[in-house]
Amino acid sequence: MSLPTSYRQWTLANHPTGKPTYSGSSATFSLETKDLPSLTDGHVLVQVLYLSNDPAQRGWISSPDQIEPERLYVPPVQVGEPMRARGLGKVLASKAEGFSEGDIVQGNMCWREYAVLDAKDPAQGLRVAKELPGGLSITHYLGALGGTGLTAYFGLVEVVGCKAGEKVVVSGAAGATGSMVVQIAKHLVGAANVIGIAGNDEKCKWVESLGADKCLNYKSPNFASELRDAVKSAGGCDVYFDNVGGEILDLMLGNMSRHGRVAACGAITGYNGEAPLPMKNYFNVISMRLEIKGFIVIDYLHKAMEVIGKLVGAVKEGKVKIGDENETVVKTKFEEIPGTWLKLFEGANQGKLVTAL
Amino acid sequence: MSLPTSYRQWTLANHPTGKPTYSGSSATFSLETKDLPSLTDGHVLVQVLYLSNDPAQRGWISSPDQIEPERLYVPPVQVGEPMRARGLGKVLASKAEGFSEGDIVQGNMCWREYAVLDAKDPAQGLRVAKELPGGLSITHYLGALGGTGLTAYFGLVEVVGCKAGEKVVVSGAAGATGSMVVQIAKHLVGAANVIGIAGNDEKCKWVESLGADKCLNYKSPNFASELRDAVKSAGGCDVYFDNVGGEILDLMLGNMSRHGRVAACGAITGYNGEAPLPMKNYFNVISMRLEIKGFIVIDYLHKAMEVIGKLVGAVKEGKVKIGDENETVVKTKFEEIPGTWLKLFEGANQGKLVTAL
């Protein structure tokens, strides 16, 4: 088989103002064809198969005028660089120890057809993606067994130190991260009680099927009192895993037990510059000695392999269920990669949005 | 000398609705005369000399309808009980080891002329108040060398673990707690930089004289950009000691360094049920991996003696300055104890408000 000598790539051409675009003279992204560098020692040549789509990618391409680079999670993408994206690929040729032709690998693929990657560069994070049990698609390494599962695990276990017997509340419980938090809390940590919060009754049923003792619909007109009653019945709330921020966070501040901890994982309002979050119950942070801890999963990636092993083991034992609900895989032509990514911001996907090339 | 056999006491007669009162048929407090119990083993008879006035006392007498008792710092005062207050007194007679006639003691005196106190009851917190160096008034044991100094020390050192070389910002820096935070951060912890925030230029000068590298007036029209610039010049902010909450907290969330910690000590807005705090910069909690930790000094009182010893030592060495600016002592007739306490809510006092009987 002859190896490719060139590849196509989506390059950041302009920092977007408003919604990113991928056609026209001032487009955010431009499609380029590049020569592949020759394969040197310690490197692998990879064909990109799947790309992860993440809201955080929007921040990486923001204009430095809009956001100070040092306040981003990771360095921003510079104009002229390929659009950064995690993904899965197939090794076509390897000069790196531990990687063989035919291996499926995950790492920082970028929006490229092919890539020559340094196997030891931590920024690439290249590793072999082993087959999953029960015929599960390897794309779950981009979601439930990748970023979202790790976010759930590290947030719950490392950031706020959730322990067996504690009472947990999770918002966004039907989401990619939240559904893993529910299962990890109940089935791995051994929480005494898990209350989920989700956006409709059907989602709530699903969350309860995953092991939540109760799941509340935040669109209910009596949500505030239902939440209060549910937490009281559970005997309190030691850990709140917050995927949404805003009003639900504020309500939870008024429902936490003394010395309760909030794992601050997401705040929807933050992304779009909507009205400031009201914090009617902030004083509880002081009077109840609460702790709100923000975190980003990338700070914990040095422990990722160990935790992915645990999660895969839990899937094998049937303790953690993952399946089609956890991802939406969109078969995409190379020319349409930005278009699939933009679907993220329309909220059309259920679970992790994955681009299949 | 003949010992007293009765004493006067201000009793909680009714939970207040609105501003507490102390005359009329539905008054919050009523003045009563009681018989002194006989002095039994392990007890001391104390004449109350000084009373501490604290905003938290307002919470202790709130109606159970207005605030759930389990969300208070300490058990509420029940109708019929003496109004709780820390204070200083003189031992008139002792049947308790370690306490002798003539000793000055501090503890939970309540609004009483005399009290028979159990020397070992942790709720009384009775201990001998040794003379202070440099002719300082013992009333500082109720303020800078008591609750406020301990709040400053524990918040900074225990709650957020401030270390030498870190950069610190303190709001309410001219206040009783804030002025101690500035000095402890700079002169005991060895912070690389301390920025104070206060309400006028005169206060700012005083805060700088205590050791702050800079103190900013939050009433300046350019406060937000001045704060930003000051933090940038300092090379960031690792620890924010928050005495005020609200808008300044929100601004600081946008100025913290990665992994910065907020010691949440006070939030003015919380007491009076004003408009909810806006949190425009909340997302920084996540993106910058911040930690907001609420605390109440009473959780740390088991280490109080050790820390008071440190603070008194630091005063002796000239590292920490305390003086008349730290307190307002109001000579008060017994009948007027509630009136002096109510001055707290008029903001008339500078530093700790102390009632001298």
Side-chain angles (χ1 to χ4, degrees), chain B residues 5 135 284 329:
Chain B
T5 55
N284 288 273
V329 179

Side-chain angles (χ1 to χ4, degrees), chain A residues 8 65 88 93 103 109 120 129 141 168 180 187 192 233 237 250 252-253 273 278 289 294 306 319 327 329 336 339 342:
Chain A
R8 286 181 294 169
D65 310 337
L88 289 159
D103 280 352
M109 297 293 159
K120 290 214 168 141
Y141 280 121
V168 177
M180 290 300 284
H187 305 305
S233 303
C237 173
D250 190 37
M252 280 307 301
L253 292 183
R289 299 86 151 160
E306 180 197 330
K319 285 183 178 173
E327 61 177 18
V329 179
E336 278 303 317
L342 284 167

Side-chain angles (χ1 to χ4, degrees), chain A residues 68 71-72 228 249 253-254 256 258 266 277 279 282-286 289-294 299, chain B residues 68 71-72 228 249 253-254 256 258 266 277 279 282 284-286 289-294 299:
Chain A
E68 294 165 84
R71 301 192 83 77
L72 284 172
R228 189 165 204 82
L249 168 59
L253 292 183
M256 299 296 290
R258 195 172 279 190
L277 307 186
M279 285 283 200
Y282 175 78
F283 196 73
N284 288 273
V285 171
I286 303 172
R289 299 86 151 160
L290 307 181
E291 204 173 322
I292 303 176
K293 287 182 82 170
D299 292 346
Chain B
E68 294 166 84
R71 300 192 84 78
L72 284 172
R228 189 164 203 83
L249 168 59
L253 292 182
M256 298 297 289
R258 196 172 280 191
L277 306 186
M279 284 283 201
Y282 175 77
N284 288 273
V285 171
I286 303 172
R289 300 83 153 161
L290 307 181
E291 204 174 322
I292 304 176
K293 288 182 80 171
D299 293 345

Side-chain angles (χ1 to χ4, degrees), chain A residues 79-297:
Chain A
V79 167
E81 288 182 351
M83 180 58 186
R84 194 186 299 142
R86 295 181 310 113
L88 289 159
K90 189 172 159 183
V91 175
L92 300 184
S94 171
K95 288 193 175 176
E97 215 189 302
F99 296 89
S100 311
E101 197 189 313
D103 280 352
I104 302 296
V105 290
Q106 53 180 316
N108 181 25
M109 297 293 159
C110 297
W111 288 357
R112 296 183 282 206
E113 274 183 302
Y114 301 100
V116 170
L117 301 172
D118 182 344
K120 290 214 168 141
D121 180 356
Q124 304 294 357
L126 202 69
R127 51 175 181 259
V128 173
K130 289 185 203 146
E131 263 184 52
L132 286 173
L136 279 176
S137 162
I138 53 157
T139 48
H140 289 298
Y141 280 121
L142 299 178
L145 299 173
T148 51
L150 291 172
T151 300
Y153 187 93
F154 289 125
L156 200 63
V157 176
E158 299 269 331
V159 177
V160 296
C162 186
K163 288 178 293 289
E166 290 198 308
K167 296 129 197 167
V168 177
V169 175
V170 189
S171 58
T177 304
S179 61
M180 290 300 284
V181 174
V182 167
Q183 298 187 79
I184 294 168
K186 194 72 191 179
H187 305 305
L188 296 190
V189 170
N193 193 85
V194 177
I195 297 170
I197 300 171
N200 67 48
D201 291 345
E202 198 186 336
K203 285 182 181 178
C204 283
K205 254 185 213 160
W206 182 63
V207 170
E208 288 176 355
S209 80
L210 296 176
D213 296 274
K214 200 175 186 73
C215 186
L216 300 172
N217 180 349
Y218 68 81
K219 287 180 184 150
S220 155
N222 306 314
F223 173 66
S225 63
E226 286 163 9
L227 180 62
R228 189 165 204 82
D229 291 348
V231 172
K232 279 210 169 174
S233 303
C237 173
D238 305 300
V239 167
Y240 169 49
F241 195 107
D242 181 22
N243 284 307
V244 300
E247 208 182 331
I248 297 179
L249 168 59
D250 190 37
L251 284 173
M252 280 307 301
L253 292 183
N255 282 305
M256 299 296 290
S257 300
R258 195 172 279 190
H259 298 292
R261 296 96 70 201
V262 176
C265 180
I268 287 163
T269 333
Y271 290 115
N272 313 319
E274 287 156 20
L277 307 186
M279 285 283 200
K280 289 183 222 143
N281 294 317
Y282 175 78
F283 196 73
N284 288 273
V285 171
I286 303 172
S287 60
M288 297 300 279
R289 299 86 151 160
L290 307 181
E291 204 173 322
I292 303 176
K293 287 182 82 170
F295 73 101
I296 303 286
V297 68

